Amino acid sequence: QSALTQPASVSGSPGQSITISCTGTSSDVGGYNYVSWYQQHPGKAPKLMIGEVSNRPSGVPDRFSGSKSGNTASLTISGLQAEDEADYYCTSYTSSGGRLFGGGTKLTVL
Amino acid sequence: EVQLVQSGAEVKKPGESLKISCEGSGYSFTSYWIAWVRQMPGKGLEWMGIFYPGNSNTRYSPSFQGQVTISADKSISTAYLQWSSLKASDTAMYYCARSTYVGSAFDIWGQGTMVTVSS
């Protein structure tokens, strides 16, 4: 199984909006509403930002939102802040009963 | 407070065995799945497998099937990841993470256990 496809890097200025894509197949992203997004700062454990495509856990700023269309899921961060600079990973449940992670996207806040 | 606390860093030689742990607290341990995730130095996250302590249902990534064993001791709310013969390529940070359903989001993560395998 290949990893889900994410852009290696994205960047934006404070206050701007950015979107990170996560592309899979009909056997994973497109087949289930079990896509989630994680933020990881250097040296830290990942943190859940969006679950089940678009559910934002308590405590996560509403600047973070998720969506899905076909085999591609997206994470959008609006009103970009310096502390949003981190690595972001998507993951999806798969038809084989397992999980796939994306390769990760490095977000740089200019 | 709901948390997963992992065992400390390990330094091992190739060929040695190892078992690292992940203790859950603040919730019903047998009602949630526990997954293990590998992160090699400077690389991304890789899903290794998942275990349901309630009935010992286990699923492995094809990449890790036969290479590791995932288990748990319900009596002490602790999940394990073990190797019978370590390789240098097993050097990585290992995280445990909790999910409500086999496919749902990982809402709680352990702090990670660094495993270094070197002769």
Side-chain angles (χ1 to χ4, degrees), chain A residues 1 34 36 38 40 44-48 51-52 89 91 93 97-99 101-103, chain B residues 37 39 43-47 50 59 62 95 99 101-107 109-110:
Chain A
Q1 290 177 305
Y34 278 145
S36 48
Y38 303 87
Q40 187 180 35
K44 300 293 188 183
K47 174 187 175 185
L48 175 64
E52 284 72 64
Y89 295 91
T91 185
Y93 183 67
R99 301 288 189 108
F101 274 100
Chain B
V37 177
Q39 188 167 37
K43 302 298 184 183
L45 304 176
E46 299 174 88
W47 182 80
I50 198 165
R59 305 180 187 188
Y95 293 101
S99 64
Y101 305 108
V102 69
S104 60
F106 300 128
D107 61 344
W109 290 70

Short mmCIF file of all heavy atoms in Angstrom, two decimals, chain A residues 1 34 36 38 40 44-48 51-52 89 91 93 97-99 101-103, chain B residues 37 39 43-47 50 59 62 95 99 101-107 109-110:
data_model
loop_
_atom_site.label_atom_id
_atom_site.label_comp_id
_atom_site.label_asym_id
_atom_site.label_seq_id
_atom_site.Cartn_x
_atom_site.Cartn_y
_atom_site.Cartn_z
N GLN A 1 0.84 -1.19 0.00
CA GLN A 1 0.00 0.00 0.00
C GLN A 1 0.87 1.24 0.00
O GLN A 1 1.79 1.37 0.83
CB GLN A 1 -0.89 0.02 1.24
CG GLN A 1 -1.98 -1.04 1.22
CD GLN A 1 -2.78 -1.02 2.52
OE1 GLN A 1 -2.23 -1.13 3.60
NE2 GLN A 1 -4.07 -0.90 2.40
N TYR A 34 -13.47 8.45 7.34
CA TYR A 34 -12.50 8.25 8.42
C TYR A 34 -11.16 8.86 8.00
O TYR A 34 -10.14 8.17 8.00
CB TYR A 34 -12.33 6.77 8.73
CG TYR A 34 -13.38 6.18 9.64
CD1 TYR A 34 -13.82 4.87 9.45
CD2 TYR A 34 -13.92 6.91 10.69
CE1 TYR A 34 -14.76 4.31 10.30
CE2 TYR A 34 -14.87 6.37 11.55
CZ TYR A 34 -15.28 5.06 11.34
OH TYR A 34 -16.22 4.52 12.20
N SER A 36 -8.50 11.83 9.05
CA SER A 36 -8.16 12.73 10.15
C SER A 36 -6.84 13.43 9.87
O SER A 36 -6.06 12.97 9.03
CB SER A 36 -8.12 11.99 11.49
OG SER A 36 -7.36 10.80 11.41
N TYR A 38 -3.40 15.61 11.63
CA TYR A 38 -2.58 15.77 12.82
C TYR A 38 -1.52 16.83 12.59
O TYR A 38 -0.95 16.94 11.50
CB TYR A 38 -1.91 14.43 13.19
CG TYR A 38 -2.95 13.36 13.40
CD1 TYR A 38 -3.41 12.62 12.31
CD2 TYR A 38 -3.53 13.13 14.64
CE1 TYR A 38 -4.42 11.68 12.47
CE2 TYR A 38 -4.53 12.20 14.80
CZ TYR A 38 -4.97 11.48 13.70
OH TYR A 38 -5.98 10.56 13.87
N GLN A 40 2.15 18.23 14.02
CA GLN A 40 3.32 17.80 14.80
C GLN A 40 4.38 18.89 14.79
O GLN A 40 4.93 19.22 13.74
CB GLN A 40 3.90 16.49 14.27
CG GLN A 40 5.01 15.94 15.16
CD GLN A 40 5.60 14.65 14.65
OE1 GLN A 40 5.73 14.43 13.46
NE2 GLN A 40 5.97 13.76 15.58
N LYS A 44 7.87 16.86 19.22
CA LYS A 44 6.64 16.62 19.97
C LYS A 44 5.83 15.49 19.35
O LYS A 44 6.02 15.13 18.18
CB LYS A 44 5.78 17.89 19.99
CG LYS A 44 6.46 19.08 20.63
CD LYS A 44 6.69 18.88 22.10
CE LYS A 44 7.19 20.15 22.77
NZ LYS A 44 7.49 19.92 24.21
N ALA A 45 4.90 14.94 20.14
CA ALA A 45 3.99 13.94 19.61
C ALA A 45 2.95 14.62 18.72
O ALA A 45 2.64 15.80 18.90
CB ALA A 45 3.29 13.21 20.76
N PRO A 46 2.40 13.88 17.76
CA PRO A 46 1.32 14.44 16.94
C PRO A 46 0.11 14.82 17.79
O PRO A 46 -0.11 14.24 18.86
CB PRO A 46 0.99 13.29 15.97
CG PRO A 46 2.23 12.47 15.93
CD PRO A 46 2.79 12.54 17.33
N LYS A 47 -0.68 15.75 17.26
CA LYS A 47 -1.89 16.21 17.94
C LYS A 47 -3.04 16.20 16.95
O LYS A 47 -2.89 16.68 15.82
CB LYS A 47 -1.70 17.64 18.46
CG LYS A 47 -2.95 18.26 19.07
CD LYS A 47 -2.73 19.73 19.40
CE LYS A 47 -4.02 20.39 19.88
NZ LYS A 47 -3.86 21.84 20.11
N LEU A 48 -4.17 15.64 17.36
CA LEU A 48 -5.34 15.58 16.50
C LEU A 48 -5.91 16.99 16.28
O LEU A 48 -6.21 17.68 17.24
CB LEU A 48 -6.41 14.68 17.12
CG LEU A 48 -7.76 14.63 16.38
CD1 LEU A 48 -7.59 14.02 14.99
CD2 LEU A 48 -8.78 13.83 17.20
N GLY A 51 -10.92 15.31 12.95
CA GLY A 51 -11.25 13.89 12.87
C GLY A 51 -12.46 13.68 11.98
O GLY A 51 -13.26 14.59 11.78
N GLU A 52 -12.57 12.45 11.44
CA GLU A 52 -13.73 12.07 10.63
C GLU A 52 -14.08 13.16 9.60
O GLU A 52 -15.19 13.67 9.54
CB GLU A 52 -14.92 11.78 11.53
CG GLU A 52 -14.83 10.42 12.24
CD GLU A 52 -13.78 10.39 13.35
OE1 GLU A 52 -13.93 11.13 14.33
OE2 GLU A 52 -12.81 9.62 13.23
N TYR A 89 -0.05 15.90 8.98
CA TYR A 89 -0.23 14.57 8.40
C TYR A 89 -1.72 14.24 8.30
O TYR A 89 -2.48 14.51 9.24
CB TYR A 89 0.43 13.50 9.25
CG TYR A 89 1.93 13.60 9.33
CD1 TYR A 89 2.55 14.34 10.34
CD2 TYR A 89 2.74 12.96 8.40
CE1 TYR A 89 3.93 14.44 10.42
CE2 TYR A 89 4.13 13.05 8.47
CZ TYR A 89 4.71 13.79 9.48
OH TYR A 89 6.08 13.89 9.55
N THR A 91 -4.46 10.93 7.64
CA THR A 91 -4.53 9.48 7.67
C THR A 91 -5.94 9.06 7.31
O THR A 91 -6.90 9.81 7.52
CB THR A 91 -4.11 8.90 9.03
OG1 THR A 91 -4.09 7.47 8.94
CG2 THR A 91 -5.07 9.28 10.14
N TYR A 93 -8.66 5.47 7.06
CA TYR A 93 -8.98 4.04 7.17
C TYR A 93 -8.98 3.46 5.76
O TYR A 93 -9.25 4.18 4.78
CB TYR A 93 -10.36 3.89 7.81
CG TYR A 93 -10.80 2.46 8.04
CD1 TYR A 93 -10.16 1.66 8.97
CD2 TYR A 93 -11.88 1.93 7.35
CE1 TYR A 93 -10.59 0.36 9.21
CE2 TYR A 93 -12.31 0.64 7.57
CZ TYR A 93 -11.65 -0.15 8.51
OH TYR A 93 -12.08 -1.43 8.72
N GLY A 97 -8.89 -2.77 6.26
CA GLY A 97 -9.06 -2.72 7.71
C GLY A 97 -7.90 -2.07 8.44
O GLY A 97 -7.81 -2.15 9.67
N GLY A 98 -7.00 -1.45 7.68
CA GLY A 98 -5.86 -0.78 8.31
C GLY A 98 -5.92 0.72 8.12
O GLY A 98 -7.00 1.30 7.95
N ARG A 99 -4.77 1.34 8.18
CA ARG A 99 -4.66 2.80 8.03
C ARG A 99 -3.51 3.11 7.08
O ARG A 99 -2.55 2.35 6.98
CB ARG A 99 -4.32 3.47 9.36
CG ARG A 99 -5.27 3.24 10.48
CD ARG A 99 -6.57 3.98 10.30
NE ARG A 99 -7.32 3.86 11.54
CZ ARG A 99 -7.51 4.83 12.40
NH1 ARG A 99 -7.07 6.03 12.14
NH2 ARG A 99 -8.16 4.62 13.52
N PHE A 101 -1.05 6.65 6.30
CA PHE A 101 -0.73 8.05 6.56
C PHE A 101 -0.29 8.70 5.26
O PHE A 101 0.22 8.03 4.35
CB PHE A 101 0.43 8.15 7.57
CG PHE A 101 0.00 8.11 9.01
CD1 PHE A 101 0.11 6.94 9.74
CD2 PHE A 101 -0.49 9.25 9.64
CE1 PHE A 101 -0.28 6.89 11.07
CE2 PHE A 101 -0.88 9.21 10.97
CZ PHE A 101 -0.77 8.03 11.68
N GLY A 102 -0.45 10.01 5.19
CA GLY A 102 0.16 10.79 4.12
C GLY A 102 1.63 10.98 4.44
O GLY A 102 2.06 10.75 5.56
N GLY A 103 2.38 11.44 3.45
CA GLY A 103 3.81 11.63 3.64
C GLY A 103 4.16 12.83 4.49
O GLY A 103 5.32 12.98 4.91
N VAL B 37 2.53 3.65 16.03
CA VAL B 37 2.96 4.44 14.87
C VAL B 37 4.48 4.64 14.94
O VAL B 37 5.00 5.01 15.99
CB VAL B 37 2.25 5.81 14.87
CG1 VAL B 37 2.74 6.68 13.72
CG2 VAL B 37 0.73 5.61 14.76
N GLN B 39 8.00 6.54 13.58
CA GLN B 39 8.55 7.71 12.92
C GLN B 39 10.07 7.58 12.91
O GLN B 39 10.72 7.79 13.94
CB GLN B 39 8.11 9.01 13.58
CG GLN B 39 8.53 10.24 12.78
CD GLN B 39 7.84 11.51 13.26
OE1 GLN B 39 7.62 11.72 14.45
NE2 GLN B 39 7.47 12.37 12.32
N LYS B 43 11.72 11.53 9.26
CA LYS B 43 10.72 11.02 8.31
C LYS B 43 9.30 11.17 8.84
O LYS B 43 9.08 11.71 9.93
CB LYS B 43 11.00 9.53 8.02
CG LYS B 43 12.38 9.26 7.46
CD LYS B 43 12.60 9.95 6.12
CE LYS B 43 13.95 9.58 5.53
NZ LYS B 43 14.19 10.30 4.24
N GLY B 44 8.33 10.68 8.04
CA GLY B 44 6.93 10.81 8.39
C GLY B 44 6.41 9.69 9.27
O GLY B 44 7.16 8.81 9.71
N LEU B 45 5.11 9.74 9.52
CA LEU B 45 4.44 8.77 10.38
C LEU B 45 4.05 7.54 9.56
O LEU B 45 3.59 7.65 8.43
CB LEU B 45 3.19 9.40 10.99
CG LEU B 45 3.40 10.69 11.79
CD1 LEU B 45 2.05 11.25 12.24
CD2 LEU B 45 4.30 10.46 12.99
N GLU B 46 4.21 6.37 10.20
CA GLU B 46 3.83 5.10 9.55
C GLU B 46 2.98 4.30 10.52
O GLU B 46 3.40 4.04 11.66
CB GLU B 46 5.06 4.27 9.21
CG GLU B 46 6.04 4.91 8.25
CD GLU B 46 7.28 4.05 8.11
OE1 GLU B 46 7.29 3.16 7.26
OE2 GLU B 46 8.24 4.28 8.88
N TRP B 47 1.80 3.86 10.06
CA TRP B 47 0.92 3.05 10.89
C TRP B 47 1.42 1.61 10.91
O TRP B 47 1.60 0.99 9.87
CB TRP B 47 -0.49 3.10 10.31
CG TRP B 47 -1.51 2.35 11.10
CD1 TRP B 47 -2.14 2.76 12.23
CD2 TRP B 47 -2.04 1.06 10.79
NE1 TRP B 47 -3.03 1.80 12.65
CE2 TRP B 47 -3.00 0.74 11.79
CE3 TRP B 47 -1.81 0.13 9.77
CZ2 TRP B 47 -3.70 -0.45 11.80
CZ3 TRP B 47 -2.53 -1.06 9.77
CH2 TRP B 47 -3.46 -1.34 10.78
N ILE B 50 -2.85 -2.14 15.05
CA ILE B 50 -3.83 -1.67 16.03
C ILE B 50 -4.38 -2.85 16.82
O ILE B 50 -4.45 -3.98 16.28
CB ILE B 50 -4.94 -0.88 15.31
CG1 ILE B 50 -5.73 -0.01 16.29
CG2 ILE B 50 -5.85 -1.79 14.50
CD1 ILE B 50 -6.58 1.05 15.60
N ARG B 59 -4.76 -6.04 14.22
CA ARG B 59 -4.52 -5.88 12.79
C ARG B 59 -3.14 -5.26 12.60
O ARG B 59 -2.77 -4.35 13.33
CB ARG B 59 -5.60 -5.00 12.15
CG ARG B 59 -7.01 -5.52 12.40
CD ARG B 59 -8.06 -4.67 11.77
NE ARG B 59 -9.39 -5.10 12.18
CZ ARG B 59 -10.52 -4.64 11.68
NH1 ARG B 59 -10.49 -3.72 10.71
NH2 ARG B 59 -11.68 -5.09 12.11
N PRO B 62 0.75 -4.48 6.43
CA PRO B 62 1.55 -5.49 5.72
C PRO B 62 3.05 -5.25 5.87
O PRO B 62 3.83 -6.22 5.87
CB PRO B 62 1.11 -5.32 4.26
CG PRO B 62 -0.27 -4.75 4.34
CD PRO B 62 -0.27 -3.87 5.54
N TYR B 95 5.23 5.76 18.70
CA TYR B 95 4.13 6.36 19.43
C TYR B 95 2.98 5.36 19.55
O TYR B 95 2.69 4.62 18.59
CB TYR B 95 3.59 7.59 18.69
CG TYR B 95 4.53 8.76 18.60
CD1 TYR B 95 5.24 9.02 17.43
CD2 TYR B 95 4.68 9.64 19.67
CE1 TYR B 95 6.08 10.11 17.33
CE2 TYR B 95 5.52 10.74 19.58
CZ TYR B 95 6.22 10.96 18.41
OH TYR B 95 7.06 12.05 18.32
N SER B 99 -7.89 5.23 19.70
CA SER B 99 -9.04 5.61 18.86
C SER B 99 -10.28 4.88 19.38
O SER B 99 -10.20 3.81 19.97
CB SER B 99 -8.80 5.28 17.39
OG SER B 99 -8.68 3.89 17.18
N TYR B 101 -12.97 3.83 17.49
CA TYR B 101 -13.30 2.76 16.57
C TYR B 101 -12.05 2.40 15.78
O TYR B 101 -11.09 3.14 15.78
CB TYR B 101 -14.42 3.19 15.62
CG TYR B 101 -15.65 3.68 16.32
CD1 TYR B 101 -15.98 5.03 16.33
CD2 TYR B 101 -16.49 2.80 17.01
CE1 TYR B 101 -17.10 5.49 17.00
CE2 TYR B 101 -17.61 3.24 17.68
CZ TYR B 101 -17.90 4.59 17.68
OH TYR B 101 -19.01 5.03 18.35
N VAL B 102 -12.09 1.26 15.09
CA VAL B 102 -10.89 0.81 14.38
C VAL B 102 -10.45 1.81 13.32
O VAL B 102 -9.26 1.91 13.00
CB VAL B 102 -11.13 -0.59 13.77
CG1 VAL B 102 -12.13 -0.51 12.63
CG2 VAL B 102 -9.83 -1.22 13.32
N GLY B 103 -11.39 2.60 12.77
CA GLY B 103 -11.03 3.55 11.74
C GLY B 103 -11.04 5.00 12.16
O GLY B 103 -10.68 5.88 11.37
N SER B 104 -11.45 5.27 13.38
CA SER B 104 -11.64 6.67 13.78
C SER B 104 -10.33 7.34 14.19
O SER B 104 -9.28 6.70 14.27
CB SER B 104 -12.67 6.78 14.90
OG SER B 104 -12.26 6.06 16.03
N ALA B 105 -10.42 8.63 14.43
CA ALA B 105 -9.23 9.44 14.67
C ALA B 105 -8.50 9.04 15.95
O ALA B 105 -9.10 8.54 16.90
CB ALA B 105 -9.65 10.91 14.76
N PHE B 106 -7.20 9.29 15.96
CA PHE B 106 -6.37 9.05 17.14
C PHE B 106 -6.43 10.29 18.01
O PHE B 106 -5.74 11.28 17.72
CB PHE B 106 -4.94 8.74 16.73
CG PHE B 106 -4.81 7.52 15.86
CD1 PHE B 106 -4.13 7.57 14.67
CD2 PHE B 106 -5.37 6.31 16.25
CE1 PHE B 106 -4.01 6.45 13.86
CE2 PHE B 106 -5.26 5.18 15.45
CZ PHE B 106 -4.57 5.25 14.25
N ASP B 107 -7.26 10.25 19.07
CA ASP B 107 -7.50 11.46 19.83
C ASP B 107 -6.50 11.68 20.95
O ASP B 107 -6.33 12.83 21.40
CB ASP B 107 -8.94 11.49 20.37
CG ASP B 107 -9.23 10.34 21.32
OD1 ASP B 107 -8.47 9.34 21.35
OD2 ASP B 107 -10.26 10.42 22.03
N TRP B 109 -2.47 10.67 22.23
CA TRP B 109 -1.18 10.10 21.84
C TRP B 109 -0.27 9.99 23.08
O TRP B 109 -0.32 10.84 23.96
CB TRP B 109 -0.49 10.98 20.81
CG TRP B 109 -1.15 10.97 19.46
CD1 TRP B 109 -2.36 11.54 19.14
CD2 TRP B 109 -0.64 10.39 18.26
NE1 TRP B 109 -2.63 11.33 17.81
CE2 TRP B 109 -1.59 10.63 17.24
CE3 TRP B 109 0.53 9.70 17.93
CZ2 TRP B 109 -1.40 10.20 15.93
CZ3 TRP B 109 0.72 9.28 16.62
CH2 TRP B 109 -0.25 9.53 15.64
N GLY B 110 0.56 8.95 23.06
CA GLY B 110 1.61 8.88 24.05
C GLY B 110 2.73 9.85 23.69
O GLY B 110 2.73 10.43 22.60
#
